[in-house]
Each structure stands twice: as structure tokens, then as C-alpha cells.
Amino acid sequence: MKRAGSHTHAVNPVNDAAATADANLQRAALIALDWGTTSLRAYLYDAAGEVLATRASPAGIMNLPLGAEHGGFDAAFEDACGAWLERAPAVPVIAAGMVGSAQGWVEAPYVDAPASADALVAGIVRVKAACGATLHIVPGVLQRGELPNVMRGEETQIFGALGQETGAVDSSRRTLIGLPGTHAKWAVVQAGRIERFHTFMTGEVFAALREHTILGRTMITPDRPDNEAFLRGVNIARDKGQAGMLATVFSARTLGLTGQLSREQQPDYLSGLLIGHELAGLEAVLAQQQNSLARQHLRLIGNEALCERYRVALAQFGCTHAELVKHATERGLWRVATQAGLVNPTPQAAHAG
Amino acid sequence: MKRAGSHTHAVNPVNDAAATADANLQRAALIALDWGTTSLRAYLYDAAGEVLATRASPAGIMNLPLGAEHGGFDAAFEDACGAWLERAPAVPVIAAGMVGSAQGWVEAPYVDAPASADALVAGIVRVKAACGATLHIVPGVLQRGELPNVMRGEETQIFGALGQETGAVDSSRRTLIGLPGTHAKWAVVQAGRIERFHTFMTGEVFAALREHTILGRTMITPDRPDNEAFLRGVNIARDKGQAGMLATVFSARTLGLTGQLSREQQPDYLSGLLIGHELAGLEAVLAQQQNSLARQHLRLIGNEALCERYRVALAQFGCTHAELVKHATERGLWRVATQAGLVNPTPQAAHAG
């Protein structure tokens, strides 16, 4: 195949794009994978930590096109990164997320909380792909106890968010980091370590209630999110939630039956109820430590629209300092790779990472 | 068709049974239907309130063989009670449950809580079946407020349980009645009225979590219920449930991941967690009224095995006086029919009802 980049002064956009891609591959310093249950996202970085290109595919570990037993991990990896590795075969590869679980490509056993970035690096497990590349798989974090907690992938995002800190004061202060989603995580981070964390199955429970209980039967998805209905749910959970979520969720139905909540309002009301119960639960845990949401300067990582919902909900609990951290995933992967010595960042990287 | 009952001294069991059925129909005084979402149960009573025969079918209002618009209610009613009505066409018919909802045969609008049996009687709505019989449909109960609550069918069961009271002291005392199930109800009853009640979607949420979330993926149904795993879940919800159900349920997975809960233990552990959260929620509501589960002499209505689980769970909350009330449904239907003047019970009925 003719190399597009060999043409100087390319006269059409296709050749321009190909030329750019080729120039990028000459600068490639790291490939990093965020490989979860239902999706795979790949990042190509230069030596300064700048993301040169990304690839996304639905080939999560439970969604491999071929199945794990038929080389499904190799095939998905090849599909996502094969073109990059063909031109830049020596580029190191790092991966985080469910790819390191017992159901993943190779198991990277959990490291115990409190966990530092160094502990993650020490727990990296390697697996050789059919194409010859070696993947460095970042372990998840386990918090032992009567109610154990686990994360895989979020630990890397958290270190990505911390990597943005510049002042020494900030890094020693205790920080609460929220990662809304299917299984929302709330982690307490101090002195560069994930001290402890909680999981709330908010996103998955919402989907199960909506799709598989009577509550969904009367719901209609509105054209755009109904913030008022959402807030109503949040405040019910906060002020009238004593009987617990199993009781309050029934009101999505009874408010409909009594003409107080339209079918279009019900989804956002239920979402508000669940997020409200999550935050009320977090508030109860903080209260045991003589703390409160109102006193937190916290950070949110994840889908922007969802994080914005959490910011709105947090404000109902008096927490008005909730900062959205962008690009935490790619920054975290870069940071762990750097700390593991997989890349030797050029000076600019200190800012980019 | 030859009447089996016309043979005296029947020589085979089939004729014996037919003769008995025929004798029953000559004594028939009331037909009552417990007609819910997924099932229909019919009872035939004599004038003393004794149940002579029952019929059960899966023809709940959301499960009609023909569909409501094609005469589905008539067909299901005919299928359940046609043979009875053919021989005893003048017998009155009463029905309670979702058959009186907006999706039912005819809507019997809710009566407001506090609700007495007299209020239920006053709210009865009649519908004429194709066969000529008139159904008397008992209304449900609505509790208005910021978190409205509704019941349909349970109000009749509750009056069935109250009907067994003999002493005046008992009937004036405030009693808590629990009806475990898909949508568990807890009603406060005093002076013969349903004062207020709560709904917990415990059964339906359990099914949704088990069938449609990651929690179910590692579960195996044990050969027999694991009481130890159940109690462990109850006690976690009671003692470590501050973060709420959205957080604790994740432990069904993490205890499995860390080898502390086998796949066979996970279903009963999750069941214990949810029932524990329900009772913790009820306890929190009682605490607002300077009351507690430990101080209750309460009654349970419903499936015996499920009520037994609740008795075990209630004991963990210090409540050791939880009496299972049997036959509350048929007793309640009889009681409302009597109070409505549909039947004139013979003296024995005072004991039977």
C-alpha cells in the first residue's frame, strides 16, 4: 500500500488526513486502553502526553465479537490498535478496567485500599498479544471489610484527576471524588492515596426499575430532561426518604395515579429520587465522621450531562463546590504509564499530564 | 348433561365428588373473587361463611386470555364461576383487587384513608356480566399527601384479619399489619379503620435486581432457603445500612468476589438485605412517632413461607410478637359482603367470619 505521507503538498483532504495520521504515528509514545464491560476506548499519545488519536469500539469484555475462548481479546485489540501498531510496533501499551478482571484477558489481582499510584504500578500484570505487543494491565482496588468494595478503571481515572493538582496544599488535603454512572463510586483521596470508597448501584438500579418494574409502564421519555421533576425527586429523597428507597420509588407511580406527575415527568423524578438517595446515603456516612456534603470541595468524573445532574443534586445538599474534571481517563492512563516507566515524558508532559 | 347428584348411593368417587359439589351449590350464599394483576381466585361460601369450594386461574387483569377489549373479563369470570352460577344464578358476587382499577373491569374509585369497612361498602361499584350476574367491586384505599399511597385488595384482607378480633380492647388498640409481597404494605389500623399505610416495592425490586442486574449473574438458587445468609443480609441492612440500599446491595457481588459468600448464598443474602432495609425504613417511620418495631404486636398476612421470613427478620429488630393471620382474603371478602347486605349470615357466621 502506497504511503500517503510520501506525497508532499497533498491536494485532497483524504491525503491530508492520512499524512497527519502518519506524522502522528512517528510521534507515538504510548497506546492506552480504557477497556470496560461494554466498550473499549483506545488513546494514542505523543511523548508530551498529548492525545494524538482515539479509537472507540463496543468490544467490551462482555461484548467481544468473537468470544474470549476464540481469541476475542486479541481480535478486539487488533481491531482497535492494529493500524497504530503496524507503523509503531515498539510503542508500549497500557490498559485499565474490566480487562484485568477474572473475566478479562488476564487477571490483575486487586491491590488493597488505601492504594497509591505506586501500588497500582507494582500490581501491573503483563499479557502478550498475538501481534507481539505486550499489554500492561493496571489492577483494580479492593477495600476489605464486612461490606467489601471494588473498583476497576475508576482508580486510574482518580489518579488522572489528582494528576492535575499543582499545589502541595491540595494534594495533602482530603478530597472526595465522585464518579457517577452504572455503579457510581465515591472515593476519599488523601496524600495521593485512595483511602476508602463506596459503590452505589444507582445507574443500574434505575435501568432495572424503569425497564423491568411497574414504574416503567407509565413512563414516557420527555423531549428534554425535566429539571423540575428531577429536583422534586432529589428533595423527596432528602427530606422524606426515611422509609428508604424501596418505599419512595412507589411514589413515581402514585403521583401519576393521582394526577400530580405526568408520564413525561416520571423518568426524571425517579432519577432524582435515586440520586437523592445516593447522596443522602453518602451524607449519612460523612455524618458518622463529623463531616457533611456541604463542607466538601469535591470533584466529579464522568459523562458531562450526568455530572451536571449530580452538581444540581449536590447543591440541594448544600454542596456548591463540585468541580467537573475532564479527560481524567486518558490523563490517568498516561500518569500510571509514566510512573511505571513505560514512557519518559518530555518536559511539556508535566503540564499535559 | 345428566346430573351426577341425581344418583343416590353413588358407587364411584367421581360421582361422590359431583354429589358433594351439587350439595354445596344448594347451600351457596356468596361468590367472592380476589382478582389481582396476575391471578384470579374465586370462593364459594355457604350462609355461615364457610368456604365450600375454590377456583384459581392465572387470568389476572393483565393476563386475560382474550384481552379486555374482547370480553376478556366476562370470559375469565365465566371460566372461573360459570358452573357455580349455572346452578345457583341468584347467588350474589363480590370482587376485590385490581379488577376495580382503571385497567380493571370497571373502576371503583379509591376511598380516602382513614377508611372503615363502611366506607368500602359505600364505595362499591357494580358491573353486570354477560351471564346476567352483577359483580360488586370493592374500592381500594388512597392515602393522599406528598408521597401518596394506594392499595387494592389489601384493604379487604386487612378487614378480614380484623374480623377475627373478639375483644373490644383489641379492636380499639392501634395495630400494625404487614402484607409482604411484590409490593409489601404496612398498615396502621385503629378502631376498625385503616389509618395510614406504606408501600415497599421489596418483592418487585428483588426480582428486578436478580433478573436484570449484574447481581443475578453469579447467583445460583439453593436447594432450600439459606436462613443464615438471609439473616446476614437482614443484619447488614439493620446495622450497616446507613449508606442505603443502593450501596449495600453491591455487597452481594463483592462478598462473592472475595470468597465470603457462595453463589448459592447470594439470593437469600440479597433477600435479607432488601427485607432488612424495608424493616429499617419502617423502624425509622415508627421512630418519628416515638414508637418502635420492638413494641409492636403485629400481624402478617400473605404467603406463609414469606411471612415466616418476615417473622425471622422482625425478630432481629426486637419484634417477637408477629402473628400470621390465615385466610384473611376470604374472610375479608365475606365480611365486606356481609356488611354490604349481600348476604344475611346465619348465627354460626359470627364465628366463621
Side-chain angles (χ1 to χ4, degrees), chain B residues 19-101:
Chain B
T20 306
D22 206 59
N24 279 347
L25 283 163
Q26 287 167 15
R27 295 164 54 203
L30 177 71
I31 290 171
L33 308 175
D34 168 25
W35 203 336
T37 303
T38 57
S39 70
L40 165 61
R41 192 170 275 273
Y43 303 93
L44 182 72
Y45 303 73
D46 70 11
E50 191 194 335
V51 174
L52 302 170
T54 65
R55 292 288 305 269
S57 106
I61 71 155
M62 291 299 179
N63 204 24
L64 295 173
L66 280 178
E69 65 283 13
H70 300 104
F73 286 105
D74 260 312
F77 177 54
E78 173 69 25
D79 180 54
C81 306
W84 293 345
L85 285 165
E86 200 181 320
R87 308 283 181 81
V91 170
V93 185
I94 193 168
M98 291 299 283
V99 67
S101 69

Side-chain angles (χ1 to χ4, degrees), chain B residues 24-25 29 67 97 121 148 157 168 176 194 218 239 247 263 274 317 333 347 352:
Chain B
N24 279 347
L25 283 163
V121 166
Q157 296 179 296
L176 188 61
I194 298 170
T218 51
D239 300 334
R263 300 179 67 155
L274 295 200
F317 286 79
L333 286 160

Side-chain angles (χ1 to χ4, degrees), chain A residues 62 98 110 142 145-150 183 185 199-202 204-205 208-209 212-215 217 236 240 242-243 245-251 253-255 257-258 260 269 274 277-278 281 284-285 288, chain B residues 62 98 110 142 145-150 183 185 199-202 204-205 208-209 212-215 217 236 240 242-243 245-251 253-255 257-258 260 269 274 277-278 281 284-285 288:
Chain A
M62 292 299 178
M98 292 300 282
Y110 292 108
L142 164 65
E146 230 174 337
L147 292 172
N149 254 305
V150 292
H183 294 175
K185 305 285 181 189
T199 305
F200 295 84
M201 286 182 61
T202 311
E204 193 170 17
V205 170
L209 291 179
H212 303 289
T213 73
I214 198 171
L215 301 181
R217 282 200 217 147
I236 284 288
K240 307 275 177 183
Q242 295 86 353
M245 194 210 87
L246 291 169
T248 59
V249 290
F250 193 57
S251 66
R253 175 167 173 75
T254 57
L255 288 169
L257 280 173
T258 53
Q260 298 172 79
Y269 175 74
L274 295 199
H277 275 292
E278 174 184 330
V285 169
Q288 292 180 318
Chain B
M62 291 299 179
M98 291 299 283
Y110 292 109
L142 164 65
E146 229 174 341
L147 291 172
N149 254 305
V150 292
H183 295 174
K185 305 283 182 192
T199 305
F200 294 84
M201 286 183 62
T202 311
E204 194 171 15
V205 171
L209 291 179
H212 302 289
T213 72
I214 198 170
L215 301 181
R217 282 201 214 145
I236 284 287
K240 307 273 176 185
Q242 295 87 351
M245 196 210 87
L246 291 169
T248 59
V249 291
F250 193 58
S251 67
R253 174 167 172 78
T254 57
L255 289 169
L257 281 174
T258 53
Q260 298 172 79
Y269 174 75
L274 295 200
H277 276 291
E278 175 184 331
V285 170
Q288 291 180 318

